[in-house]
Amino acid sequence: MKKFFITTLLNTFFLAVMTAGNAPTLSIYSPVTEPLHEVRAVWLTTIGGIDWPHSYAQPYQPRSVEVQQHELCQILDRLVKANINTVIIQTRIRATTIFPSDMEPWDGCLSGKPGQSPGYDALAFAIDECHKRGLKVHAWVVTIPCGKWNGAGCKNLRKTHPELLKRIGEDGFLNPENPGTADYLARFCGDLASRYDIDGIHLDYIRYPDSWGKIGNRERGCDNITRIVRAIASEVRDIKPWVQMSCSPVGKYADTKRQWSHGWNARDAVCQDVHLWLKEGLMDAIYPMMYFKNENFYPFAIDWQERSEGRIVAPGLGIYFMHPREKNWLLTDITRQFHVLRQFGMGNCMFRSKFFTDNTKGLYNYFADGFASLPALQPAMTWLSNVKPASPSYVHFTGNVVSWGEEVQGFKGSRVQDVTYNLYGSDVMPVDVSKAENLLAANLTDRQINVGNTGAIRYFAVTATDRYGNESKPTFSYATGHDEHPVPSAPTMLPYSNGVVTLNGTDASAGKLMIVTSAYGNDICSAIVSRYAGNTTIRTGKLSAGLYKVYTIYKKGHRHLLGYFAVDVDR
C-alpha cells in the first residue's frame, strides 16, 4: 500500500512539473506543520576560504586573529537567526587541516600560507562558538583526495606515508585499495574525536576518484571503501560512542524502478555501498549530494529514505545553482524540495552556507521567516541509546530570567552531566513540549536564560537532552506572582520507596498538613504526617514515573516547599 501511494504521488508530481512550467507553487502536497525534530544543516566550506572569513589570521598578530574570529561569529549568528541547527565545517581539506595536527599540516585558508599556523586553534574556537549558540557542529573530513601532487598535503604524505599515495595526473589520492588507508584515516578521525568536543564526524569523498579509470571488480571496490568506513566508525565509537557518523555520498544510490540514474550513482559508479553502511550501523546519518531538480531529485530522495534503516536522511541541496553565474535556478526549485523532503520525514543540508547567508534570490528570508520560523531539535539516535536523561531538578521564573537546576538522581541510569537544555513556553499550564510552536530555545549550555518580554507566555518548561539526542521529561515553572517560596539553589531530594516519602531532616513535624504535587503543579495527595521509626513520612500510594514536590501547608493556606522526590521509570 505504501509503495502504491508513493508511486501515485510521484506520477502526480511529474505531471505537475511537466505542465506547470515555471509555476511558483507545487500543488501535489499540503504544507506540513513545522516539526519539532528536523535536521537543518549547512556545509561551511573552508577550502580556498570560500565560506570561511576572507581575512587572514597571523601568529603574533592578535588583532588579525580577532578579526577572523569575529567574522566567523557573524556567520554563525546569521545561521542561528534562521534556525539552522547543524554546521558541517570542513576540517580536513586536502590532507591539510584547520587544527594543529601531528599527522597533517595547516591549510592555507586560515593564514593565507599553507603549512603556517594562524596563531590559534580554529576548530576549537568554531566548536565553542557553535555550542554557545546551540548549534551542533560536525567535523567534515575529505577522505581520499589529497590535493595537488606538489601541494602541502601531498608533500607531507610523500614523506610520511608514500605507500598510501596514488598519483593521477597532477593530483594525489589516498589509495582505497591499500589496507593502510583505512588505518590512517581511522587514526586521523580518532584523533579528532579524542581531542575535540565534536557532535559528529562527516566523511566526504569516501569513494573512488572520478579520474581512477575503470574499476575492474565492483564488489571488491565496494569492499575496499567499506573497509575504510568500518575502520573509522569503529575507532570513533570506541572513543565517543555518541559522535554521529555521517557521510555525503553521490546523490543517487542506484538506478530505481522509477528512474534511471544516467550511469552516475553511488553504488555502481564509485563503490559507495551506503545501504550496507546503514544496515551495519556504520552510519547514523546520510547527507546525499542531491544537486539536481525535478525527476532527477524526487524519486532518488525517496529512494534514500526507503533505504534509511531508520537512520537520519538529510539530502544536500544545490542552492549554489540559484546563482546567476551557475545555473540560475529559480527560488521555487529549492523551496519545493524543502517541502517535499519534510513531507517524507527528511531534513535538509544546503551547499554552500555562503549562498544561504547571502540570501541568494531571497532564500534566507524564505527559510527563516516561513519554512523554518521556529527552532527544531535534531532527531535522537535511539539506535545507539534510548535511555532518557534525568529531568532538571526545578525551573524558576523571576523577572525576565528562567533558571533551572541540574538533573537529579532517581531515574533509570545515574545523574547525567553531559547534557544541553531546551526551553519551552506557553500561555497555558502545563506547557505542551510535544508542540514545535512551544520550543523557544534549543541546546542551551547554561542553566539560565533571559527571555525578555514574554508577552502572553506565562509558563515555562525545561528538558535535558543527552549527546545521543534523547530528551528528558519536562520540569515546569509557575507564573510570576505564584505564592510558592523561591526554589533554593540546592533543593532537597527526599528518599522515596514503595509509595512512602521520608521527610527526616527537613522542616517538618508530626501533625502538619502536607501536600504532594506533580511537576505540573497538580495536587496528588494530602495527609497529616505521622512518625514512623523516628522519621516523618507521607504515604503517597502508587505513582507514575516523574518528579514530585512536597509542601507544608500553613494556617493561611500558604505553601512552603520542603523538597523533591523522584519516581524511577522502572517502578
Side-chain angles (χ1 to χ4, degrees), residues 30-61:
S30 299
V32 179
T33 303
E34 289 190 42
L36 182 60
H37 296 88
E38 184 175 64
V39 171
R40 300 170 184 169
V42 296
W43 278 294
L44 199 157
T45 310
T46 58
I47 188 169
I50 55 179
D51 293 331
W52 185 260
H54 291 168
S55 60
Y56 291 126
Q58 304 293 335
Y60 312 114
Q61 296 182 19

Side-chain angles (χ1 to χ4, degrees), residues 195-405:
R195 291 171 55 196
Y196 293 94
D197 189 24
I198 50 177
D199 300 295
I201 287 184
H202 179 75
L203 305 181
D204 184 26
Y205 217 108
I206 186 72
R207 61 184 177 87
Y208 274 80
D210 301 354
S211 53
W212 188 268
K214 186 176 181 180
I215 302 171
N217 187 306
R218 298 287 177 181
E219 184 176 351
R220 187 177 301 124
C222 285
D223 288 344
N224 290 334
I225 301 300
T226 297
R227 177 178 60 233
I228 300 171
V229 173
R230 189 177 288 118
I232 294 172
S234 176
E235 183 76 13
V236 173
R237 298 271 196 240
D238 285 346
I239 297 168
K240 290 178 182 173
W242 60 82
V243 170
Q244 183 186 104
M245 292 300 308
S246 69
C247 65
S248 51
V250 167
K252 303 171 183 178
Y253 175 67
D255 293 339
T256 74
K257 293 180 180 179
R258 311 176 187 114
Q259 197 73 11
W260 176 43
S261 66
H262 297 274
W264 181 245
N265 62 60
R267 186 190 65 190
D268 301 323
V270 292
C271 299
Q272 294 178 306
D273 197 350
V274 185
H275 189 198
L276 176 67
W277 305 347
L278 293 164
K279 288 178 67 175
E280 287 195 10
L282 304 178
M283 288 288 131
D284 303 306
I286 56 172
Y287 297 77
M289 300 181 293
M290 302 198 66
Y291 310 150
F292 323 112
K293 61 179 181 176
N294 300 339
E295 72 277 6
N296 282 310
F297 180 88
Y298 296 100
F300 295 99
I302 294 170
D303 184 57
W304 282 117
Q305 180 70 339
E306 289 179 343
R307 297 179 185 274
S308 68
E309 302 293 332
R311 303 317 194 247
I312 297 166
V313 180
L317 309 184
I319 65 171
Y320 67 103
F321 279 143
M322 291 195 300
H323 197 280
R325 288 200 296 267
E326 291 288 344
K327 294 188 177 181
N328 205 24
W329 282 5
L330 300 174
L331 174 63
T332 51
D333 290 327
I334 295 296
T335 58
R336 287 169 181 164
Q337 294 178 356
F338 284 149
H339 287 282
V340 173
L341 292 177
R342 177 176 284 174
Q343 185 176 13
F344 283 92
M346 291 178 271
N348 60 79
C349 186
M350 288 176 274
F351 185 79
R352 305 177 343 254
S353 66
K354 192 173 188 301
F355 289 92
F356 179 64
T357 54
D358 282 354
N359 198 28
T360 304
K361 290 189 176 178
L363 178 65
Y364 182 93
N365 290 344
Y366 180 91
F367 193 92
D369 299 334
F371 179 77
S373 61
L374 304 171
L377 303 174
Q378 292 87 344
M381 297 183 289
T382 53
W383 49 90
L384 298 179
S385 172
N386 62 2
V387 178
K388 294 180 181 295
S391 303
S393 56
Y394 66 86
V395 175
H396 194 51
F397 181 32
T398 304
N400 294 329
V401 176
V402 180
S403 59
W404 51 93

